[in-house]
């Protein structure tokens, strides 16, 4: 009886998290009922549960959700429901958004370069944790928080990027050898000081993390400076065609072993997953508006949810849905895709392997697009989609 009741309570809470999102049994039903002229975003709540519990139960420290990956309210509510309480943010708007949504949330303002107004506004909203990567930014933080003594400051360091599909280190971060002076300088006022890095998004080799930890451990021991916190950033990968990473548990094992080996295991530990928490919890259905041979003109593209298909040129696990009940052919062909805007940059080379009888009116479901899809749409030329529906 107890069990039945608690299962019901869970269901009710999930329903509430999904309050503003229509719910359908399957994708075809959703596409028919919505009869949408734009692409359609699908949300799979079970995947959020699975990934949140994977991070919360298996990673040794705290997991912050990097909200830029997908800030849709339904995603945020589900993550909160499944226990995520800490959020990694880069802008004052993101902070205001999270504070409005969850007044109890723990806030981490981890952009290494912030405007003065953003720092001051964030402090007023309760942010006490900031990142910096140079002396001028440290001074900005001190000045705009009126030399607060209750800050946790993370110095962003630049580590060698081993095998990241999407490098993130040429823009931010101080070389590890230059960290000691900045750490000591930050320690003059801050309550706690930590180090953070980002190995690059969609990091295909867990050795990137252990290598970064080894560089940090060497720097700490040779300089004699000590820190309180260590934030290993995001970068945890998911599967895309041609990119088959190992299990996240294996990444955690490698990271935990490196922490133990280098004597970093007593530090307060954090990670900042974006993609790995939400990518598999989403998909985007995109309609074929025209077929010209092996070129397909779609209703979403690089200015919309398919930026990563167009610019870094990724492909996704794809599935075809024919709405007229016709059979999907077994034979496949490589296709090139065009997005809906009038810009000739709005194209995706792929090649995307799709059934050879694909035709106008069919929908292509791009899986594992719960991260950096919905979040990256522009409104260019009037093409974007606000249609998010829960499936299952
Ligand atoms: C984008 C970003 C993340 C999330 O990265 P993923 O590769 O999506 O896990 C985490 N931390 C910072 C500072 C970021 O800029």
């Amino acid at each position: 009886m107890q069990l039945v009741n608690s299962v019901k309570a869970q269901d009710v809470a999930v329903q509430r998290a999904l309050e503003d999102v229509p719910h359908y049994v399957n994708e075809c039903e959703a596409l028919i009922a919505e009869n949408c002229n734009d692409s359609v975003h699908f949300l799979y709540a079970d995947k959020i549960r699975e990934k949140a519990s994977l991070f919360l139960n298996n990673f040794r420290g705290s997991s912050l959700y990097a909200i830029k990956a997908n800030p849709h309210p339904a995603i945020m509510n589900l993550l909160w429901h499944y226990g995520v309480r800490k959020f990694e943010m880069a802008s004052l708007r993101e902070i205001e958004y999270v504070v409005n949504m969850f007044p109890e949330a723990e806030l981490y303002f981890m952009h290494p370069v912030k405007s003065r107004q953003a720092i001051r506004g964030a402090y007023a909203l309760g942010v006490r944790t900031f990142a910096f990567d140079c002396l001028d930014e440290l001074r900005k933080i001190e000045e705009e928080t009126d030399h607060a003594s209750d800050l946790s400051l993370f110095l962003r360091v630049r580590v060698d990027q081993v095998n990241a599909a999407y490098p993130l280190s040429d823009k931010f971060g101080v070389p590890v050898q230059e960290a000691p002076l900045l750490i000591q300088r930050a320690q003059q006022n801050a309550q706690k000081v930590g180090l953070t890095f980002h190995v690059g998004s969609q990091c295909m080799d867990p050795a990137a993390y252990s290598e970064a930890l080894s560089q940090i451990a060497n720097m700490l021991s040779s300089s004699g400076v000590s820190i309180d916190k260590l934030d290993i950033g995001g970068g945890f990968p998911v599967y895309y065609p041609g990119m088959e990473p190992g299990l996240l548990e294996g990444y955690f094992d490698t990271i935990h072993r490196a922490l133990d080996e280098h004597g970093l295991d007593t530090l307060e530990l954090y990670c900042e997953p974006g993609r790995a928490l939400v990518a598999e919890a989403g998909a985007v259905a995109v309609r074929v508006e025209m077929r010209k041979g092996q070129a397909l003109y779609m209703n979403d593209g690089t200015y919309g949810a398919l930026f990563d298909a167009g610019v870094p040129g990724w492909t996704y696990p794809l599935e075809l849905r024919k709405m007229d009940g016709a059979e999907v052919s077994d034979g496949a062909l490589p296709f090139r895709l065009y997005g809906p805007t009038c810009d000739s940059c709005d194209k995706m080379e792929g090649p995307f392997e799709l059934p050879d009888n694909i035709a106008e009116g069919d929908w292509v479901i791009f899986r594992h697009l719960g991260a950096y899809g919905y979040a990256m749409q522009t409104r260019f030329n009037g093409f974007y989609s606000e249609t998010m529906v829960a499936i299952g």
Side-chain angles (χ1 to χ4, degrees):
M1 223 33 225
Q2 189 69 47
L3 182 66
V4 172
N5 279 336
S6 78
V7 167
K8 276 205 180 124
Q10 282 275 327
D11 285 350
V12 171
V14 171
Q15 295 289 322
R16 204 173 304 129
L18 292 172
E19 209 161 34
D20 298 323
V21 170
H23 208 137
Y24 298 98
V25 181
N26 64 49
E27 288 142 352
C28 267
E29 185 192 297
L31 292 172
I32 292 165
E34 290 291 325
N35 191 26
C36 191
N37 184 42
D38 304 306
S39 60
V40 176
H41 296 262
F42 295 139
L43 168 57
Y44 312 94
D46 283 353
K47 275 287 171 191
I48 298 276
R49 174 168 47 80
E50 182 189 318
K51 298 298 170 177
S53 80
L54 185 70
F55 273 92
L56 296 174
N57 298 327
N58 294 279
F59 181 67
R60 205 190 261 174
S62 299
S63 298
L64 324 180
Y65 175 47
I67 83 161
K68 76 169 180 290
N70 192 337
H72 191 281
I75 300 264
M76 300 288 286
N77 278 323
L78 285 169
L79 286 167
W80 184 268
H81 171 64
Y82 290 121
V84 174
R85 294 288 177 271
K86 305 176 194 204
F87 298 88
E88 187 278 324
M89 297 155 302
S91 65
L92 186 55
R93 271 204 196 89
E94 285 186 339
I95 293 165
E96 288 165 346
Y97 179 74
V98 171
V99 169
N100 273 327
M101 207 161 186
F102 311 122
E104 314 284 292
E106 283 185 41
L107 311 168
Y108 295 78
F109 197 177
M110 302 303 278
H111 197 307
V113 181
K114 298 165 288 302
S115 75
R116 288 181 177 272
Q117 288 106 313
I119 296 166
R120 189 161 284 276
Y123 189 75
L125 287 170
V127 174
R128 294 295 177 268
T129 304
F130 297 86
F132 69 106
D133 71 355
C134 64
L135 183 57
D136 284 342
E137 182 73 9
L138 177 59
R139 289 204 181 107
K140 268 160 70 180
I141 294 168
E142 290 175 345
E143 287 165 18
E144 297 306 321
T145 60
D146 299 325
H147 301 273
S149 56
D150 57 351
L151 301 185
S152 284
L153 299 181
F154 280 94
L155 174 62
R156 171 96 168 243
V157 293
R158 186 187 310 169
V159 294
D160 298 338
Q161 307 228 332
V162 184
N163 222 341
Y166 220 125
L168 285 174
S169 246
D170 55 346
K171 184 162 173 183
F172 300 122
V174 68
V176 176
Q177 316 78 268
E178 292 171 33
L181 279 177
L182 284 165
I183 294 169
Q184 288 172 317
R185 175 62 185 74
Q187 282 166 337
Q188 290 173 8
N189 291 307
Q191 192 172 62
K192 294 199 169 173
V193 174
L195 286 174
T196 184
F197 57 85
H198 199 300
V199 294
S201 204
Q202 184 67 6
C203 173
M204 294 302 291
D205 185 352
Y209 295 90
S210 46
E211 177 53 32
L213 293 172
S214 144
Q215 290 171 38
I216 285 172
N218 288 339
M219 177 275 292
L220 290 174
S221 68
S222 67
S223 67
V225 301
S226 62
I227 55 171
D228 311 294
K229 295 167 180 264
L230 187 57
D231 177 342
I232 63 167
F236 300 96
V238 303
Y239 166 80
Y240 303 105
M243 289 189 262
E244 288 185 43
L247 295 177
L248 288 180
E249 289 90 332
Y251 279 67
F252 298 152
D253 284 345
T254 302
I255 290 161
H256 294 159
R257 237 181 293 119
L259 291 166
D260 292 338
E261 207 174 290
H262 297 299
L264 300 172
D265 50 316
T266 56
L267 299 174
E268 288 172 51
L269 184 67
Y270 303 83
C271 68
E272 304 173 339
R275 184 187 307 281
L277 267 177
V278 298
E280 290 176 35
V284 184
V286 183
R287 191 170 57 199
V288 180
E289 307 296 13
M290 176 64 68
R291 174 174 175 178
K292 294 182 186 169
Q294 276 162 257
L296 301 170
Y297 291 72
M298 314 297 288
N299 71 345
D300 204 342
T302 59
Y303 290 95
L306 298 177
F307 180 88
D308 283 339
V311 177
W314 295 2
T315 60
Y316 293 83
L318 302 177
E319 280 173 45
L320 188 66
R321 295 282 187 277
K322 283 188 172 287
M323 306 313 287
D324 57 5
E327 251 181 66
V328 172
S329 152
D330 287 337
L333 282 174
F335 287 89
R336 170 171 90 255
L337 308 184
Y338 291 103
T341 75
C342 300
D343 190 334
S344 54
C345 294
D346 194 1
K347 65 165 190 275
M348 299 151 276
E349 287 295 340
F352 300 90
E353 291 286 324
L354 286 161
D356 55 18
N357 68 341
I358 190 169
E360 187 225 326
D362 294 349
W363 291 85
V364 179
I365 300 178
F366 287 71
R367 300 216 172 275
H368 296 187
L369 199 39
Y372 305 116
Y374 174 82
M376 288 180 67
Q377 306 180 84
T378 72
R379 301 195 165 209
F380 184 42
N381 247 187
F383 296 103
Y384 59 92
S385 173
E386 295 286 6
T387 304
M388 173 81 71
V389 302
I391 302 293

